[in-house]
Amino acid sequence: MSRERTRILIVDDEEIVRESLSAWLEKDGYTLATAQDGETALERIRKERWSILLVDLKMPGIDGLQVLEEARKIQPEAVAVIMTAYATVDSAVAAMKIGAYDYLVKPFDPEELSLMIQKIVTQQALVRENVLLRKVLKREYHFRDLISKSPTMQAVFDLARTAARSHSTILILGESGTGKELLARAVHAESPRSQGPFVAVSCAALTETLLESELFGHEKGAFTGAAARRKGKFEMAHGGTLFLDEIGDVTSKLQLDLLRVLEDRKFFRVGGSEAVTVDVRIIAATNRDLQKAVADGSFREDLFYRLNVIPIHLPPLRDRLEDMPLLVEHFLEQLGAEMNRQIDGVSTDAMGILMAHTWPGNVRELRNVLERAIVVAPGRVIETSDLGLRRPPCADIGDNGSLASLDDVEKHHICRVLQDAGGNISQAARTLGIDRATLYNKMKKYQLRKDGEPEPEQEPS
């Protein structure tokens, strides 16, 4: 922002102070205005936007701290500086607690004031630049509530946007916690059915009988406790999208029932004899390998091909670590707002641990780790001790005093470089003088991302 666009309001009951400060800062090119008391100042703050507030502490009526407290509610982005000729520790602490940028004791050097104002202007410019950059990043890297800059996920977003325009069935594949339901909701929101309902069902959460009733509804008296006719999820989703999560866990009977609905778009309520016709787009998801399930006979092949019209695979978090800083910033901002905590970021060492963790719970696990960290962090920066995660295994390498093997030395060195780089793979690879692929292979060889967790294929489904 140019100096002319930096608007400064000087609030002081002494006319000589208002005039001298105005004359001095006017030479610096700022846009200035004055108020002789707190009431006038608040009136101007309510009506106009200000970049900086220079507020005298002691004034008749509303004093400087009250002006500052009210101004923070009206224009929290305005930077306030308290001025006083009667400095005390208590008033200085009170001013800082309310949110004052600085506390100037009169008489002060006008050159010092100019430098401080210039520093504030520079910081405000950086904040605006950061906000603008975040907006650009959101436009570039967001697909509704999903966020990623990895080429793999960008391809997923492109496919999902294209698929959303059709009415075809989509099968979302991926480990638990990768965001399958978020993707399904995003597809629905981008589709011509977005004005219709989005209904989600977890097929693994219910027994066969309950799931059958949940999906297709039931007639009065169909079974004990069926006191009235009840619509199922298929009917509720009419005109919209039905999301069948964990489709790989449904029983053989329900697989057949679902196949019939997908073929005919008709079904019978439990205990009913009247066919119900629905217009529903199906999005299914599973963390199981359905082709393997078809091969071993636990999943119907005809249903698999009915569902697998547009398959979309969501990669695990460990395969898109370049998203880690973006996701961390996103969750800190989101969770900080929900929990009313201002968190500025994570330390370099903490980011290194986040990058080295294997994330068996994927993005959901990352969100939970950061939520815990925000709760326990005493300051505004997340440190390693706030994460509740173990350090990467390299931390103990070579610490027993014995001569280490060449592999041990290489493993230890790679680990140190990764930590110094804050887990940034590209930066670490450049420091080591190797390419990213070679570094990934060495990390896999030395289990630097394993952290004691089972291999992905050994994880429970």
Side-chain angles (χ1 to χ4, degrees):
M1 182 183 287
S2 65
R3 291 191 173 191
E4 294 79 11
R5 294 179 61 188
T6 299
R7 307 187 74 243
I8 302 175
L9 179 62
I10 300 169
V11 187
D12 200 303
D13 59 325
E14 294 184 59
E15 184 177 359
I16 189 170
V17 174
R18 298 197 302 271
E19 289 180 350
S20 60
L21 286 181
S22 296
W24 179 265
L25 293 174
E26 196 169 23
K27 289 190 300 183
D28 290 340
Y30 300 115
T31 299
L32 296 159
T34 62
Q36 71 276 18
D37 53 46
E39 289 84 352
T40 306
L42 289 176
E43 188 178 341
R44 299 204 65 164
I45 291 169
R46 290 189 185 97
K47 292 179 179 176
E48 303 167 70
R49 309 300 296 178
W50 300 98
S51 311
I52 299 169
L53 307 173
L54 297 177
V55 185
D56 188 29
L57 179 64
K58 288 189 177 295
M59 294 182 289
I62 299 176
D63 66 19
L65 292 182
Q66 291 173 297
V67 171
L68 174 56
E69 192 166 14
E70 195 63 23
R72 294 287 294 167
K73 299 175 185 172
I74 303 168
Q75 290 189 41
E77 70 281 5
V79 172
V81 176
I82 291 290
M83 307 177 293
T84 184
Y86 309 96
T88 66
V89 173
D90 288 345
S91 62
V93 170
M96 293 305 174
K97 277 187 175 179
I98 295 173
Y101 177 84
D102 210 338
Y103 184 89
L104 294 179
V105 180
K106 298 176 184 176
F108 45 78
D109 183 351
E111 291 284 357
E112 182 185 349
L113 176 65
S114 286
L115 289 173
M116 186 188 68
I117 296 290
Q118 182 54 49
K119 186 179 176 184
I120 292 172
V121 170
T122 302
Q123 288 180 350
Q124 288 178 325
L126 288 173
V127 169
R128 283 192 295 275
E129 186 178 340
N130 192 33
V131 169
L132 181 63
L133 181 60
R134 286 187 180 188
K135 288 181 179 176
V136 171
L137 287 174
K138 282 187 176 180
R139 282 200 300 271
E140 189 170 352
Y141 298 136
H142 276 246
F143 178 48
R144 295 287 171 170
D145 290 334
L146 292 158
I147 181 170
S148 175
K149 65 176 182 179
S150 83
T152 305
M153 282 295 286
Q154 289 298 312
V156 167
F157 293 171
D158 290 342
L159 176 58
R161 288 190 182 97
T162 302
R165 295 195 289 269
S166 73
H167 295 281
S168 301
T169 302
I170 295 174
L171 179 61
I172 303 173
L173 305 162
E175 296 177 11
S176 295
T178 48
K180 296 188 288 294
E181 182 167 342
L182 284 180
L183 183 62
R185 289 183 181 276
V187 168
H188 171 74
E190 297 277 325
S191 76
R193 297 172 173 270
S194 60
Q195 298 305 310
F198 177 90
V199 179
V201 184
S202 175
C203 298
L206 302 170
T207 63
E208 179 182 277
T209 304
L210 286 175
L211 182 58
E212 185 180 23
S213 173
E214 189 77 7
L215 289 173
F216 307 120
H218 60 252
E219 296 290 347
K220 180 179 179 181
F223 49 82
T224 304
R229 173 188 283 183
R230 181 175 181 272
K231 285 185 177 180
K233 299 296 187 186
F234 269 98
E235 286 184 80
M236 293 180 188
H238 180 68
T241 302
L242 178 62
F243 176 58
L244 300 173
D245 197 11
E246 301 179 80
I247 189 70
D249 294 338
V250 298
T251 62
S252 299
K253 179 182 181 304
L254 278 174
Q255 289 178 32
L256 180 59
D257 292 341
L258 287 170
L259 177 64
R260 287 171 176 161
V261 179
L262 288 174
E263 288 179 341
D264 303 333
R265 300 291 166 177
K266 294 180 182 177
F267 61 91
F268 294 90
R269 299 189 191 96
V270 176
S273 57
E274 180 185 350
V276 180
T277 302
V278 289
D279 172 23
V280 173
R281 198 244 185 98
I282 300 294
I283 301 179
T286 182
N287 56 17
R288 291 189 63 193
D289 183 341
L290 283 192
Q291 285 185 310
K292 187 177 178 182
V294 169
D296 66 25
S298 60
F299 200 85
R300 293 183 65 97
E301 184 176 15
D302 42 10
L303 177 59
F304 170 70
Y305 286 115
R306 279 284 182 186
L307 296 172
N308 198 38
V309 178
I310 302 178
I312 300 178
H313 179 77
L314 278 176
L317 180 55
R318 62 179 172 278
D319 287 347
R320 53 184 185 103
L321 287 178
E322 60 267 53
D323 284 338
M324 185 62 71
L326 199 62
L327 289 168
V328 168
E329 181 181 324
H330 170 71
F331 284 135
L332 290 183
E333 184 178 329
Q334 183 187 70
L335 292 166
E338 291 175 8
M339 301 161 72
N340 196 28
R341 282 287 312 273
Q342 176 66 46
I343 298 294
D344 296 334
V346 301
S347 68
T348 301
D349 199 21
M351 181 60 79
I353 289 180
L354 291 173
M355 295 291 285
H357 190 62
T358 51
W359 301 107
N362 290 294
V363 180
R364 184 187 299 134
E365 183 189 5
L366 171 63
R367 189 182 191 280
N368 292 343
V369 166
L370 292 175
E371 182 175 346
R372 174 198 184 279
I374 292 174
V375 170
V376 303
R380 293 172 58 167
V381 174
I382 302 294
E383 301 291 348
T384 55
S385 57
D386 304 323
L387 296 174
L389 298 174
R390 288 188 302 145
R391 281 184 172 278
C394 62
D396 300 320
I397 294 172
D399 290 344
N400 58 8
S402 61
L403 291 176
S405 68
L406 190 57
D407 278 355
D408 286 342
V409 171
E410 183 179 63
K411 178 181 179 181
H412 182 62
H413 183 61
I414 290 173
C415 224
R416 290 290 304 275
V417 172
L418 280 167
Q419 288 182 350
D420 287 347
N424 186 308
I425 303 295
S426 298
Q427 183 181 334
R430 283 196 297 274
T431 302
L432 291 165
I434 58 179
D435 57 38
R436 284 167 53 92
T438 303
L439 178 54
Y440 270 119
N441 288 335
K442 288 183 179 296
M443 290 169 69
K444 183 177 180 181
K445 173 185 176 182
Y446 295 128
Q447 300 181 333
L448 292 180
R449 294 168 46 205
K450 208 176 171 188
D451 202 10
E453 300 290 347
E455 289 291 339
E457 59 271 23
Q458 296 172 333
E459 292 170 9
S461 58

